Amino acid sequence: MSNATLASITDLVRETATTDNAEVLQWVTEVAELTQPDSILWCDGSQDEWNRITSEMVEAGSLIPLDKNLRPGSFLARSHPADVARVEDRTFICSEDEADAGPTNNWVAPAAMRAELMPLFEGSMRGRTMYVVPFSMGPVGGAITQLGIEITDSPYAVLNMRIMTRMGQQALDGITPGSEWVRTVHSVGAPLVDGAEDSAWPCNDTKYITHFPDTLEVWSYGSGYGGNALLSKKCFALRIASVMGKNEGWLAEHMLLLKLTNTETGKDYHLSAAFPSACGKTNLAMLQPTIPGWKVETIGDDIAWLRPGKDGRLYAINPEAGFFGVAPGTGESTNPVAMETLWGNTIFTNVALTDTGDVWWEGMTDTVPEHLIDWQGNDWTPESGRPAAHPNSRFTVPIQQTPSLARDWYEQDGVPLDAILFGGRRATNVPLVAQSRSWNHGVFVGATISSEKTAAQEGTVGELRRDPFAMLPFCGYNMADYWGHWLEMGEQLGENAPKMFQVNWFRKDEDGKFMWPGFGDNSRVIDWVIRRVEGEHTGVETAVGTIPAPGELNLTGIEEVEKDLDKIFAIDPASWLAEADLTEEYFAQFGDRLPQALTAELDALRERLGK
Ligand code: GDP
Ligand code: PGA
Ligand code: MN
């Protein structure tokens, strides 16, 4: 680029900037010089700005406005058919030392990755607007809160970021000289040269989702989709934040966050749960109890940051401000709270469009519409023989629209945790609920979780894979060190540590039918969990933990489940011993980084199973 052009880019940054923080200005200038956008917009997060960007996108054909009476303020976006989910094989942790990324992450040395990326980013925003998106993860000024900026050339990403984070001027003003903040850069990798026409969903066949934990940076290229493009979410709030947490004594987790109130005693409890993607976090976060005695309120559905408080207990916040939820399977009968939340102001991605200008997806209603436009824009009827909505289609909606939102979501310093659940999607072996014997046993259970793959990941749906703490794709450092960090956290918390449980809503019978009704009826499991925390239930000890004693699990109203209860809780020593062998193999890849305590737990499990 000529010096004249470089000078004009520097001018462009200075003229448009809404901060005088020199560090921010310098970084934005560097990225602009590299990517060469036509214009720059510093996002203030206002409604005006939202209106302007949505209008431009509608005009350009990349957003479809939904009927104002049926779904006010809402839009449908259709992605490129090959850009529909996170791309884990294109996701890299670029720590200085390969061993710090560990065997479960793709690793490239930072300098080598920069050398690979810079030619791609060079001129990648030509013909486009570069948006500077400042955001706060957590309430601005909170004890657990962190700030960041995403630079992106995707207006779709900007709109989603405005829903998913506290985005705008207040966050930018919070980034003071010398303070810690995370730098993230995103380009769809589709420059518009020589007046080339834009497509409705620009992206590139080449994709890179790269993380530089040593310098708190994310560089994402080639994809416009969810976790690849909304860099506050998986990239920052999990991968980068997990490293920050390791260094600073806190935890960044793939967990939902719930508040429970016992309506008889008035006592409050808080619970978090780690389930892999598309394994029920959003649904549990919006739980509507089917048994009396409990009020359930939502705090978060995907990410929780955990930090010991002054009183020695473990406190948690939801750093996000919206839901990026899986649409299919969300319906009036399964998740009425989500359906109510989606009344308006929602961006839908890859769902179907109805003839009346509303949205539809599999499982939204019991009756299937006779005609739809499917997620790829084609005519669709029930006879078409293909899903109308993509299985990983999503809604993005402000959390404040949730009728069950807890006041605690606004709490600056978070809520104290009473219980932590670990779960996955397991057709066999894993009982409905089992309490871990100790913190270390709980860490072992979390570390050994396996789950059947879902549409949220590329790959074969249904295939079993290890997903420790539901963090396999999201841990920004060596997984063995991560387990070590959890073990240390337990030592620090001591008697104040939350109790740990393993759950599985997905066990099937011989005919492949779910044996546990799930959804609202999961309140029965939560009821047992809290009564265990309170020491009201004795439970029964098994080799894998404490399960409900006969009569302890409240089945009033679903007595038909009684006949399957033995199968729902069956623990088969032979299959568990076989899994223990697989765990040993799995652990082996971590070599001497594997904490001794986990080997000890594996030995103890085998002992209890009668080996
Ligand atoms: P998340 O991605 O972890 O937040 O998962 P969601 O809550 O969006 O759920 C993913 C899928 O699992 C949806 O199709 C839900 O309908 C389904 N699901 C959620 N909870 C349950 C449950 O308790 N039982 C069964 N059988 N399915 C569930
Ligand atoms: P999820 O996250 O798959 O955990 O729901 C969304 C995404 O990263 O695309
Ligand atoms: Mn979810």
Side-chain angles (χ1 to χ4, degrees):
M1 210 190 318
S2 71
N3 282 339
T5 328
L6 279 182
S8 72
I9 283 205
T10 309
D11 291 344
L12 192 58
V13 173
R14 308 265 153 185
E15 281 159 18
T16 52
T18 51
T19 176
D20 47 24
N21 184 326
E23 239 176 43
V24 174
L25 290 171
Q26 191 195 330
W27 175 68
V28 173
T29 304
E30 279 167 19
V31 176
E33 283 173 0
L34 174 68
T35 58
Q36 303 162 30
D38 267 15
S39 55
I40 301 179
L41 180 71
W42 293 69
C43 295
D44 61 14
S46 65
Q47 185 63 41
D48 244 27
E49 180 177 272
W50 167 277
N51 293 346
R52 259 182 287 121
I53 294 174
T54 51
S55 305
E56 282 166 19
M57 289 183 72
V58 168
E59 183 110 346
S62 41
L63 275 187
I64 298 167
L66 299 175
D67 184 277
K68 287 191 174 55
N69 297 312
L70 299 173
R71 204 69 70 172
S74 301
F75 300 88
L76 168 64
R78 294 190 188 123
S79 83
H80 185 283
D83 195 21
V84 293
R86 287 181 288 101
V87 282
E88 293 179 10
D89 61 329
R90 302 300 306 159
T91 300
F92 300 87
I93 301 297
C94 306
S95 45
E96 280 301 337
D97 185 350
E98 179 169 11
D100 286 338
T104 59
N105 282 311
N106 300 313
W107 175 84
V108 174
M113 181 53 88
R114 278 181 211 282
E116 228 172 297
L117 284 178
M118 290 312 130
L120 296 174
F121 275 96
E122 200 180 322
S124 74
M125 296 190 186
R126 268 187 286 164
R128 297 190 182 279
T129 298
M130 178 174 111
Y131 301 88
V132 182
V133 185
F135 59 91
S136 176
M137 302 306 285
V140 179
I144 314 184
T145 295
Q146 300 286 341
L147 299 168
I149 299 179
E150 173 164 346
I151 291 178
T152 179
D153 55 8
S154 160
Y156 169 86
V158 176
L159 297 178
N160 279 273
M161 287 292 288
R162 181 170 183 265
I163 297 176
M164 294 306 298
T165 68
R166 293 148 170 105
M167 182 270 257
Q169 194 62 41
Q170 214 198 341
L172 186 58
D173 293 342
I175 299 179
T176 50
S179 66
E180 184 178 75
W181 54 284
V182 174
R183 294 153 168 77
T184 75
V185 183
H186 169 247
S187 174
V188 293
L192 293 168
V193 274
D194 302 329
E197 191 140 326
D198 203 1
S199 63
W201 184 281
C203 60
N204 195 299
D205 291 344
T206 301
K207 293 177 174 47
Y208 280 91
I209 320 297
T210 69
H211 307 74
F212 299 82
D214 300 299
T215 48
L216 306 185
E217 284 173 84
V218 179
W219 289 76
S220 168
Y221 180 87
S223 169
Y225 197 80
N228 302 330
L230 315 178
L231 302 186
S232 64
K233 196 173 183 46
K234 307 298 187 176
C235 298
F236 173 0
L238 291 177
R239 298 194 190 98
I240 295 291
S242 62
V243 178
M244 297 168 87
K246 162 85 173 134
N247 294 335
E248 299 167 6
W250 51 283
L251 299 161
E253 299 301 328
H254 190 199
M255 289 177 171
L256 66 93
L257 203 52
L258 266 188
K259 175 182 185 174
L260 300 136
T261 309
N262 181 320
T263 53
E264 272 161 40
T265 64
K267 193 169 171 193
D268 289 344
Y269 304 87
H270 300 94
L271 173 155
S272 73
F275 306 157
S277 297
C279 290
K281 286 184 301 301
T282 303
N283 273 273
L284 188 62
M286 298 179 176
L287 180 73
Q288 291 288 86
T290 52
I291 53 171
W294 293 105
K295 178 177 172 194
V296 180
E297 293 168 276
T298 309
I299 305 177
D301 85 324
D302 195 47
I303 296 175
W305 286 354
L306 281 43
R307 187 189 281 255
K310 291 195 188 77
D311 61 358
R313 297 186 69 189
L314 188 59
Y315 282 73
I317 62 162
N318 167 18
E320 298 192 288
F323 300 126
F324 183 64
V326 179
T330 308
E332 222 40 81
S333 55
T334 56
N335 191 344
V337 176
M339 293 308 292
E340 214 181 306
T341 305
L342 299 175
W343 64 266
N345 305 320
T346 305
I347 297 176
F348 296 93
T349 305
N350 288 342
V351 302
L353 182 66
T354 69
D355 294 346
T356 56
D358 198 6
V359 285
W360 193 85
W361 50 78
E362 279 68 21
M364 177 172 159
T365 53
D366 292 338
T367 51
V368 177
E370 278 168 23
H371 177 261
L372 294 165
I373 304 294
D374 75 6
W375 69 278
Q376 298 201 66
N378 301 315
D379 280 305
W380 184 95
T381 67
E383 288 74 47
S384 296
R386 57 173 199 275
H390 187 276
N392 192 38
S393 56
R394 301 279 176 152
F395 52 78
T396 322
V397 67
I399 194 168
Q400 295 181 64
Q401 289 185 195
T402 317
S404 62
L405 184 66
R407 285 290 316 159
D408 303 68
W409 177 75
Y410 300 90
E411 273 298 312
Q412 287 226 323
D413 301 336
V415 295
L417 284 182
D418 298 283
I420 297 176
L421 313 187
F422 297 111
R425 192 180 274 271
R426 292 296 305 269
T428 60
N429 278 17
V430 178
L432 180 63
V433 58
Q435 181 177 3
S436 302
R437 303 162 60 86
S438 62
W439 179 274
N440 281 12
H441 180 232
V443 172
F444 172 80
V445 167
T448 53
I449 290 283
S450 351
S451 189
E452 291 147 22
K453 270 198 178 184
T454 66
Q457 302 94 23
E458 288 203 323
T460 315
V461 171
E463 191 187 333
L464 202 61
R465 75 161 177 182
R466 294 273 166 176
D467 194 349
F469 287 73
M471 284 288 279
L472 177 68
F474 306 123
C475 184
Y477 62 104
N478 190 306
M479 189 64 85
D481 296 350
Y482 166 89
W483 297 331
H485 186 38
W486 265 87
L487 291 165
E488 277 165 26
M489 186 62 80
E491 267 173 45
Q492 184 186 338
L493 294 168
E495 285 301 301
N496 287 317
K499 302 288 185 283
M500 289 162 151
F501 298 81
Q502 177 170 28
V503 298
N504 176 27
W505 315 144
F506 298 96
R507 202 155 179 176
K508 291 181 175 170
D509 63 14
E510 306 75 26
D511 304 326
K513 236 184 94 251
F514 291 120
M515 291 190 286
W516 176 250
F519 301 102
D521 286 318
N522 293 332
S523 57
R524 299 163 191 276
V525 175
I526 305 297
D527 169 79
W528 184 79
V529 162
I530 298 298
R531 292 185 197 283
R532 276 295 296 167
V533 167
E534 285 291 5
E536 285 175 35
H537 283 330
T538 55
V540 179
E541 264 196 51
T542 75
V544 304
T546 305
I547 65 171
E552 284 183 353
L553 193 66
N554 182 344
L555 295 179
T556 308
I558 55 163
E559 287 77 8
E560 70 279 7
V561 175
E562 196 89 53
K563 66 172 181 2
D564 288 329
L565 217 52
D566 284 347
K567 282 191 278 177
I568 289 174
F569 280 101
I571 294 154
D572 172 39
S575 338
W576 273 87
L577 281 168
E579 279 207 23
D581 291 347
L582 295 174
T583 297
E584 185 177 340
E585 272 174 40
Y586 182 69
F587 278 172
Q589 65 182 313
F590 298 99
D592 55 14
R593 289 226 184 187
L594 182 75
Q596 273 295 317
L598 295 188
T599 321
E601 287 294 336
L602 178 60
D603 292 345
L605 172 66
R606 283 172 157 158
E607 195 77 26
R608 293 194 301 272
L609 287 164
K611 192 176 189 176

